[in-house]
Amino acid sequence: CRCRALLSRPAGTLRARRGLAAGPEMHFGFQTVTEEERREKIYQVFESVAKKYDVMNDSMTLGIHRVWKDILMHKMNPSPGTLLLDVAGGTGDIAFRFINYVSSVRERQLQRKLKHRQNLSWQEIFESYQKDKCNSLGDSQVVVCDINREMLKVGKQKAQHLGYSEGLSWVLGNAEELPFDNDKFDVYTIAFGIRNVTRIDLALQEAYRVLKPGGRFLCLEFSHVSNPLLSRLYDLYSFQVIPVLGEVIAGDWKSYQYLVESIRQFPPQEELKAMIEDAGFFKVDYENLNFGIVAIHSGFKL
């Protein structure tokens, strides 16, 4: 299995080498905690919200998160044969979009191929179509890697319910020490996940390591709003409405209070761009969506 071959790198080797201890103090929302405390608290947040994660995303963003993820996929523009690693993608939103997108491209390629072969008999066209249809992803694969078992569990249940199985695998792993060999993936995505990584610098280094030369890094994340009036309205909505939604829908005020606070503590666009460049990526840029409520950062391993 191609996906199993990707898992040959033993987990934990980076941690042993880098010696990550409790570490310096850092932010958990507006609290100050140790590195190890932050890691544990974030794990508990996502374990708590996993079952209501998708419902809350729709409620908090009024469904706009779906548009943002669609824009990310069109920016990626994957072709059949692309190998994608989606980190912190436990519930499968990016993975399912990737499969749909590649399948659509593959279908269009197949139709164009058959249109240019007008001399074939109906039987030959039918047999050719059926043969190519069996490989609807053109050897594309998406590996979903998430540190949280509950999030992966929800994603697997969604995949089963929606009928996704081909070209899809699920891996329990930490963004800071990915269990994959060097130079394996064509594209690395992390959507609304890097904000919750304890050491963003290590996660970016790992993203660079596992990408093939020429591979692309794409990050979709809440960011900093550029318009002052919108920023004030956004703050009002974030702090007064989102935790209430969390309590009403998920029975969890504290987790959603943290998520709001974590957005405010996250580095602004230019600072994150510099961190991505420091990890070794080239042609790094970003695109603000909805005045910077979210941003898509992009970079290449050359």
Side-chain angles (χ1 to χ4, degrees), residues 80 97-109 133 136-138 140 164 166:
R97 280 171 169 78
F98 173 80
I99 291 172
N100 291 343
Y101 194 100
V102 172
S103 295
S104 178
V105 172
R106 176 77 170 161
E107 178 71 19
R108 291 196 298 272
Q109 288 179 347
K133 190 73 173 173
S136 63
L137 295 178
S140 288
Y164 292 102
E166 181 189 357

Side-chain angles (χ1 to χ4, degrees), residues 15 39 87 145-147 172-179 197 206:
R15 181 171 293 281
R39 187 173 285 111
V87 175
C145 182
D146 201 295
I147 197 172
L172 186 69
N174 186 345
E176 299 170 35
E177 43 180 335
L178 294 169
V197 169
E206 282 291 88

Side-chain angles (χ1 to χ4, degrees), residues 18-62:
R18 287 169 176 156
L20 294 180
E25 290 187 336
M26 51 181 55
H27 293 292
F28 173 77
F30 292 161
Q31 299 178 45
T32 301
V33 296
T34 67
E35 185 176 318
E36 209 52 54
E37 285 174 336
R38 185 179 194 272
R39 187 173 285 111
E40 179 59 31
K41 283 177 176 290
I42 289 172
Y43 189 93
Q44 290 171 356
V45 163
F46 285 93
E47 192 171 58
S48 171
V49 305
K51 290 179 180 177
K52 296 289 186 179
Y53 185 78
D54 290 330
V55 176
M56 277 300 299
N57 276 349
D58 280 333
S59 300
M60 288 188 301
T61 69
L62 306 178

